[in-house]
Structures are given as C-alpha cells and as structure tokens.
Amino acid sequence: MDGMIHPEAASDPFLAPLHRSFLLSCFVSGAAALVVLPLHLALAGPPQAATLLALAWMLSQWPLALYLSQSGALSKAAGLSASLFAVFVAGVCAVTGGALSFALAWLLVPPMEAALAASRRTALAVTGLCGALVLALMFVPLPVLPASGFPGLATPFATLAALLYVGLLSLRIALDRSLAQKVVRATEERRLQISQSVSDIYCELGPDSGLKVIGGPVKDVLGHLPVESGEDWLFPRLHVADRPLYLTCLSEARLSGATRTFEARLRVGANRPGEAGQADYRRLEVQLRASRQNSLASANGAALLLTLRPLEPIEPSAGKTTGSATDGSARADRISRDMLETAGVEASQALSDILAQSERLERLGRDTSDPVLKLAVQSLRQNGERGLASLTAALELVPTDRSPGEPEITGVDVETCLVQCIDMVARVAERRGVALEMEPGQDSPLVAADRKLLRQALCFLLVDMVETSEAGAVVSVGVDLGTGYTDYVFSVKNRQSSLCWSAEAAATVLGVSRALLERMGGSLTVQTILGQGESVTVTLPLRTQAQQSAGRTGEVLRVEQLAKSA
C-alpha cells in the first residue's frame, strides 16, 4: 500500500495517511465487487440493472486509485469519486422509479464525500451536480418499478444504509481533522525549538512596512515581545542617528533587490519610545534581503526578509543592582583577560628570544670542549622549550569575546593531549594530594577533532575533578576503543576518603566541556558505575582513512604551492 503512494506525498506526515486511506477504500471496494459478482451469479442468477450499476461503481474505484497513485492529486481524486458516486445513485434511481425511488436519499451522500477533497470548488461542483440530477429525475417521467426482495422495506433499508455511510464519512473527516491538529502542533513545537536554538531574529517586512516575526529569541534580544504585527515597530525604536541609514538601505533593497547589511542601535526594553524611563540601546546587525519567493524585489512591492543579529553577548539581568554588578564583573573579567593575553604574548616573545640565543650559544660552543658550557646551553634550551610549550597551552585555555569560528578538524593524538593536560594539572593535583593515572592507549588511532578545543575540554574536566576531590583521591583516565569512535572514561577513585566527586556539583564545567566537544562532533555523557560513583565519558569520532588521505593530499599540495611561490 505504501509503495503506491505518490512520492511527493509519501514523506508528508499529513498527506501520506490521507492517500493511504483513500487507496485502501478503493482496493477494498473493487475486491468486494469481484467477490460479490460470482456469488450472485451462482446463488441468485443474473443480476438486475441496479445491482449491475452497484458492481460497476465498485470496480471503477480501481482506476481512481491508479490515478491518485500516478498524479498525487488527492483533491481531484476525491472530487471524481464523489461525482462518480452521484452518477451511480442517479442511475439506480432512474431504473427504480426516478424521483420516487428508494435510493433518492443517497444523493445527500456525495456532497458529504466531496468534503474529503478539502476544496470549496469541488464541494460546490458536486453539490450542483447532485441538484441537477434531482431536478432531472423529477421532470423526466420514469416508470415506478418495485425493488426485488423486500418491496415494502426497500426505502427504510436504503435510508439506514445511507446513514451508516454518512457516519463513516463523518468519522473519516473527524480523523483527518485530528491528524491535521497533531501535524500543526508538531510543526509549531519544531519551530519553537529552532527559534530557541538560533541567535538571530528573522522578520518579514511587508510592502506596507509591517513587520511580522518569523522566529528567533525576540524576548532575550529585545527585552519585549512586539505584538504590533501589522505596524513597523522597528523604526520607532531605532536610534535617531541610525534612522536615515535604515531608510536608505530599505529603499535600495526594495528597488534593486540587493542585500544590504549595516549596524544600528536599537532601543530594548518593555517601555516604548516617548514613555517614561531611561532608554537602553543595543548594537545590532541589520540585514535586508529579498525573500526566495520574490528574488526580484523591484517596484512590485515584494516582501523583504529582515534579520537582526546582536553584536554583543546577551547576559540575563535581574534588576538594576544585579545588572550593574554583572556588568562590573563582566568588565573586570574582560580587562583581566586582556591583560593576561598581553602578558602571555610578551612572555612568549621573551622565551622565543631565549631559545634563539641558546641556539646561537650552541653554535659558538661547538668549537670549545668545555662540558659545563655545553650542559648549560642544553639546559637553557630545554627549559625554554618546555616553558614556551606550557605557556602556549595555557594561553589556549583563556576564553575570548570573539565569536567562535569553524573548528579545524584534523587527526589528533588524544594520548598526547592528555599527557600535556596532566602535566599542566600536576602541580594543582600535588598540592591537593590527588593522584593522576592514565591507562596506556594501546596504540589508539587518531581522532577527528580540533586540537585546541579538545585540549580546552580535557583541561577543564581534569582541573574540576582535581579541585573538587579530597586528599587521597585518584583521578583515572581509561580508553575504550569502538567501531568508528573512541571513549575516554574519566573517573575519581577515593582510596583514603569516603567522599566522591559529583557530576551535579560540576554541571557548569561539564556544560562548557560538552559544548566544546559537540562543536567538533564529539559528545560528553555522565554515567554511574557501581562501587566507583559517577564517571564522565568523552566520545570522539575516529579519523577515517579517507580523511587521512585527504590530509596527506592537502599537505602535498601546500608543499607544492610553497615550492612554486619560492
């Protein structure tokens, strides 16, 4: 049955059940005719004209099913079915007495069946056809022939059958409406999920400058919900100095259809312009472009798609005092990060100079045989390399205010990253009396990840486990190889303490690590192991052979490009 549904309707959650029910009713009707005809011939002899019309109508449902399967036009198929049924009823009335026939009540059924087409034109056309057939039966003189079998009970039986048929049609219409409500509800939930997961606000700007919100975190960005869907609520909230630019870009986008992007200050908050209260403005990136349906937004007044993108991170605030304290702490964190980055860059340059000087001293000391000088130069170079590596790894952990770019997915040796992270955390663990253990990777293959993001996620996880564990605890890292992925299990074992690390207390750090891992295709889950408490499993996808070949090909191309440029 599903194989005969039209391809355009097979994947539609609303149309597919409707096509399936129509096809099923057609096939059942035709099969019943093939069963009834030989039984009637064997038991009751040759059928009468009304019986032949009924069997012909039942067999005609198969061509309708074939038409629906090939065209996918459900409304036309339902209209043809209702019209065919009306003609069949009129034929039965014509051979059984015309306007006085027992089957005249069945002409009320086709308009009900036409409601399945979900088209007002089809319903009106079928209703008009039934009315014309009734008038024709009234004015055309036809002989009154009694129905065979039960002449006195033919009309009550026919009316009862019509009521049953109409009841089945009503039930089917009710089921279709229930299905439509479920599909609309599921679509609305999906739209809300998409709106909550994106950071931009999408609006439709009509020819009359009316703004209609399509989706996006409107409440979080603007601080209010614009209910004036038929008005331009954006222009009054724009800063006075940014309004000419907005009007200019809007005019150019309407006339030429080109995309216009600019920055503007928009007033946020529940209070409207002109009301009491201090104005609070937020910098947004405004983009105006023609919609896909109207790619040529010329003088025909086509609608435009307006996108609002915040240029500053949005932080929730609870009142003026909390908001000012949050702003102050955020400003202090930003200053401290800037100072740390500046100091890190200067220290990196100093260590690089130390390494350069050590290489120069090493070249000068090759001619001498003083072992003390050679040992000092070697120690200076090793300490400089170790300090530069530690400083680089520490600076990679400093968060920035810049928007994150696309991760650079390459083949990464996780065991090497774990060793570097354990070396960075070793001082903190030693000070707290926590031991660090890592099982050998057993030549674990490379994983597809961003080296910097992976190191950040692993360091955050290890530092949190160490700082939240008591003396005597052991933080262990295990490896579990799978098909297409590798699991790294982080757990805390308490040998001398009854306290255990808790994932609930580390929810914030786990959320940061999970976000970093999900950006490069990994995942982080928390599991409970009997006798060991909670553990964290970091799952990373393996780097396939195709990715390795692509990486080697890219390296060869880069080498060739460098050679040509040289």
Side-chain angles (χ1 to χ4, degrees), residues 350-360 380-381 384-385 388:
L351 290 173
S352 300
D353 293 339
I354 291 175
L355 290 176
Q357 296 298 330
S358 64
E359 293 179 358
R360 184 178 300 176
L380 181 64
R381 184 182 59 186
E385 292 176 351
L388 184 60

Side-chain angles (χ1 to χ4, degrees), residues 308-391:
L308 300 176
R309 178 175 302 170
L311 298 177
E312 300 175 354
I314 301 173
E315 300 178 358
S317 58
K320 298 181 179 179
T321 306
T322 307
S324 59
T326 304
D327 295 340
S329 61
R331 189 180 299 107
D333 293 340
R334 186 163 52 252
I335 293 174
S336 62
R337 285 197 300 267
D338 295 341
M339 294 179 63
L340 182 59
E341 290 181 356
T342 304
V345 172
E346 295 179 356
S348 178
Q349 293 177 356
L351 290 173
S352 300
D353 293 339
I354 291 175
L355 290 176
Q357 296 298 330
S358 64
E359 293 179 358
R360 184 178 300 176
L361 289 176
E362 185 178 5
R363 288 195 299 268
L364 294 176
R366 290 176 182 175
D367 300 334
T368 63
S369 58
D370 188 0
V372 178
L373 179 59
K374 292 182 178 180
L375 183 61
V377 172
Q378 185 178 3
S379 177
L380 181 64
R381 184 182 59 186
Q382 292 178 353
N383 292 333
E385 292 176 351
R386 185 169 61 253
L388 184 60
S390 300
L391 180 61

